[in-house]
Amino acid sequence: MFLEEHIPATDPDLKDLILKIADQGMVIRAGFQCRQESCDTTNVYGETQVQMDVFADEVIVTALGKLDCVNSVASEERPDIVSLNKGGAFSVTMDPLDGSSLMGVNLTVGTIIGIYRNSSPFNPGREMVGALYILYGPLTTLTYTIGKGVHEFVLNEGGSYQLQHEDLRIGSSRLYAPGALRKKWLPPHRRFIRKLEEKGYKLRFSGSFVADVHQILHKGGVFTYPAFEGSEDGKLRLLFEANPMGFMITQAGGAASNGRGNILDISPDKLDQRVPIYIGGKREISMIEEEMLI
Ligand code: FBP
């Protein structure tokens, strides 16, 4: 079955929106070969942009501008919300190319998208009506949810996304992907990681959040980018990274927390809001939330 057959026609605008982004995955994938360098620009977080960050951002914003149903887009690569079509029902949040520090070493990176039925992106994550990510790895895959399970498709040679896994449920293996410098970890987080290690969790951290969470979704375990000395809010962005992936993993039977409560309950008040993140199996999320209480 192909993606266009899989997405229900009950909400045609939402379906068009997801399919439009899926098409951009092919354009972005085709752009990698001649865009491997850094740019002279930095984004709002002071991070050096790579050519692919800018390209992926422009490709998606331009494509969404052609859909009447899209009111606005908020991108990790832009300081301001882009207003598109005034009457549009949806606001889209995106990290056009997550893991882009891996550009040049040919590891998996991806596009992360959140969709709200609202003209503004400032909503708690649980109000999302759809989320998806596209992974550019040995295969190009698209994983989406519209609140009815998580489904994965692989891009075939004919340019169609073919169903690979329907109703994915988070695995039960024991992997952990711990971000931030170990010497800067705070005590509860340090204790949590020690407990995981004592239980035999295996280390898997690639430098690409979306790829690491994808692995956790399939196999099980937990990804964390915690609060650390010098950054009480961690590194990852609530609107662009944490919420869409949190919504996705929750749909697959897992959970996402800032260490103290569900990430999807947070009402964002700024575009560049960061959040400490623990995302993975319910077992691991309960462990860190208990550790925070000690
Ligand atoms: P980008 O969206 O700018 O690529 O940043 C996010 C990110 O690359 C995550 O994908 C990844 O988990 C994290 O930063 C890696 O951070 P660090 O370099 O500190 O390990």
Side-chain angles (χ1 to χ4, degrees):
M1 186 188 272
F2 295 114
L3 181 62
E4 54 270 35
E5 299 162 325
H6 195 269
I7 306 172
T10 42
D11 189 335
D13 285 344
L14 180 59
K15 179 169 181 165
D16 283 354
L17 175 45
I18 294 173
L19 291 176
K20 179 65 90 182
I21 294 167
D23 286 346
Q24 307 325 303
M26 292 180 233
V27 181
I28 293 168
R29 189 187 62 160
F32 281 108
Q33 201 165 353
C34 57
R35 291 182 187 81
Q36 290 286 305
E37 307 296 326
S38 297
C39 303
D40 296 332
T41 50
T42 52
N43 63 16
V44 270
Y45 309 93
E47 298 162 347
T48 302
Q49 290 179 305
V50 299
Q51 290 173 321
M52 276 306 296
D53 281 322
V54 177
F55 177 68
D57 175 82
E58 283 173 3
V59 164
I60 299 175
V61 171
T62 305
L64 293 183
K66 295 180 182 147
L67 287 181
D68 289 343
C69 65
V70 181
N71 192 301
S72 65
V73 185
S75 167
E76 189 184 296
E77 297 304 329
R78 299 187 186 230
D80 302 308
I81 299 170
V82 183
S83 292
L84 294 176
N85 300 300
K86 272 205 166 59
F90 297 108
S91 110
V92 174
T93 62
M94 66 168 175
D95 182 350
L97 203 75
D98 180 61
S100 55
S101 68
L102 296 174
M103 260 320 84
V105 296
N106 197 26
L107 289 177
T108 298
V109 294
T111 298
I112 305 175
I113 303 282
I115 305 169
Y116 297 90
R117 197 181 303 281
N118 193 332
S119 54
S120 156
F122 291 109
N123 312 286
R126 66 172 62 264
E127 290 177 12
M128 218 172 283
V129 292
L132 67 94
Y133 62 87
I134 302 172
L135 278 189
Y136 313 99
L139 295 174
T140 297
T141 59
L142 181 149
T143 308
Y144 89 97
T145 180
I146 52 170
K148 296 184 179 70
V150 173
H151 316 291
E152 185 180 310
F153 294 77
V154 62
L155 187 61
N156 68 17
E157 284 187 4
S160 299
Y161 287 93
Q162 200 158 2
L163 183 62
Q164 172 153 279
H165 295 285
E166 191 162 45
D167 208 6
L168 264 167
R169 305 300 290 170
I170 187 165
S172 55
S173 301
R174 297 183 167 204
L175 302 182
Y176 74 121
L181 280 185
R182 184 174 277 258
K183 68 175 182 182
K184 293 192 171 179
W185 288 351
L186 304 176
H189 181 76
R190 204 176 278 284
R191 291 196 301 273
F192 170 62
I193 296 293
R194 195 172 55 237
K195 285 187 179 166
L196 295 178
E197 288 171 347
E198 281 165 7
K199 288 174 189 288
Y201 278 65
K202 279 202 216 167
L203 180 66
R204 294 284 186 274
F205 190 83
S206 73
S208 166
F209 168 66
V210 63
D212 287 336
V213 174
H214 178 76
Q215 179 170 198
I216 300 285
L217 168 61
H218 274 265
K219 296 187 177 169
V222 62
F223 174 99
T224 89
Y225 209 108
F228 58 92
E229 262 174 49
S231 179
E232 291 300 307
D233 294 323
K235 174 182 181 187
L236 299 193
R237 274 65 44 148
L238 176 63
L239 269 76
F240 309 122
E241 291 158 325
N243 270 341
M245 297 307 282
F247 187 70
M248 186 79 73
I249 216 97
T250 302
Q251 277 293 313
S257 172
N258 62 2
R260 300 185 185 279
N262 197 326
I263 275 180
L264 301 179
D265 290 334
I266 300 172
S267 291
D269 47 36
K270 50 180 188 171
L271 273 186
D272 58 356
Q273 192 162 334
R274 297 181 194 259
V275 68
I277 184 166
Y278 296 82
I279 178 167
K282 285 184 175 158
R283 175 180 59 198
E284 291 82 3
I285 302 308
S286 303
M287 272 173 71
I288 180 60
E289 289 186 349
E290 280 164 26
E291 213 54 63
M292 288 287 188
L293 297 174
I294 297 173

